[in-house]
Amino acid sequence: MSMRTFPDRMRHALMFEVIGLAIFTPMAALVFNQPVAHMGVIGVISATVATTWNFLFNLGFDHTLVRFRGHTGKTVMIRIAHAVLFEGGLVIMLIPMIAWYLGISLWAALMMDIAIVGFYLVYAFVFNIAYDRIFPVPVQKPGLSLASAR
């Protein structure tokens, strides 16, 4: 059974956030009628939280897959569950910050975040398929442990 290495996980998390932020900031400013600078701050703080969450969540998710399935292969249903669980965790972490920074109610921040989550659900699904195809998990040589493969 093969798993992603630490450097690969770092590349994944950073690429996901940088590309997502480049798409999100101008689009969100337009959609939510907010200054680009405000949406940029929301985006950068959210991306920082999300990058940390992405790394930790994907590490735990892959370990869970290995424990219950014996490998990290993902079906479409597992990819959907992965994206929904990841974004659900972000909603819980980010709503209070968005409401405070933009001076809006928690309800308004939730509605804004639901729209943002909609974007990131689709983005995460497409990005992860593309990433797995461009950077496949290396096949582990027989006799090597996961620790020696790093």
Side-chain angles (χ1 to χ4, degrees), residues 13-96:
L14 292 172
M15 284 180 67
F16 180 88
E17 295 306 329
V18 167
I19 293 168
L21 191 57
I23 297 167
F24 164 79
T25 301
M27 184 179 75
L30 182 66
V31 169
F32 301 123
N33 196 30
Q34 293 282 336
V36 172
H38 285 171
M39 296 315 296
V41 169
I42 294 293
V44 168
I45 291 171
S46 296
T48 302
V49 170
T51 299
T52 304
W53 176 236
N54 187 334
F55 180 82
L56 296 172
F57 179 81
N58 285 320
L59 181 62
F61 197 89
D62 282 355
H63 278 282
T64 301
L65 285 176
V66 168
R67 181 172 181 201
F68 289 105
R69 299 188 66 195
H71 58 85
T72 59
K74 298 171 183 80
T75 65
V76 170
M77 290 307 295
I78 289 173
R79 287 185 183 284
I80 290 169
H82 175 272
V84 169
L85 291 170
F86 175 79
E87 292 299 334
L90 277 180
V91 167
I92 292 167
M93 291 183 265
L94 294 176
I95 295 297

Side-chain angles (χ1 to χ4, degrees), residues 50-149:
T51 299
T52 304
W53 176 236
N54 187 334
F55 180 82
L56 296 172
F57 179 81
N58 285 320
L59 181 62
F61 197 89
D62 282 355
H63 278 282
T64 301
L65 285 176
V66 168
R67 181 172 181 201
F68 289 105
R69 299 188 66 195
H71 58 85
T72 59
K74 298 171 183 80
T75 65
V76 170
M77 290 307 295
I78 289 173
R79 287 185 183 284
I80 290 169
H82 175 272
V84 169
L85 291 170
F86 175 79
E87 292 299 334
L90 277 180
V91 167
I92 292 167
M93 291 183 265
L94 294 176
I95 295 297
M97 185 275 302
I98 292 170
W100 170 78
Y101 184 76
L102 295 177
I104 59 178
S105 70
L106 288 173
W107 180 255
L110 177 62
M111 294 297 102
M112 179 182 281
D113 199 59
I114 287 172
I116 294 168
V117 166
F119 163 76
Y120 273 99
L121 275 173
V122 173
Y123 171 68
F125 184 79
V126 172
F127 177 89
N128 283 304
I129 288 172
Y131 188 88
D132 287 347
R133 288 188 180 154
I134 295 167
F135 303 105
V137 176
V139 177
Q140 184 180 342
K141 305 266 192 252
L144 289 177
S145 71
L146 287 177
S148 64

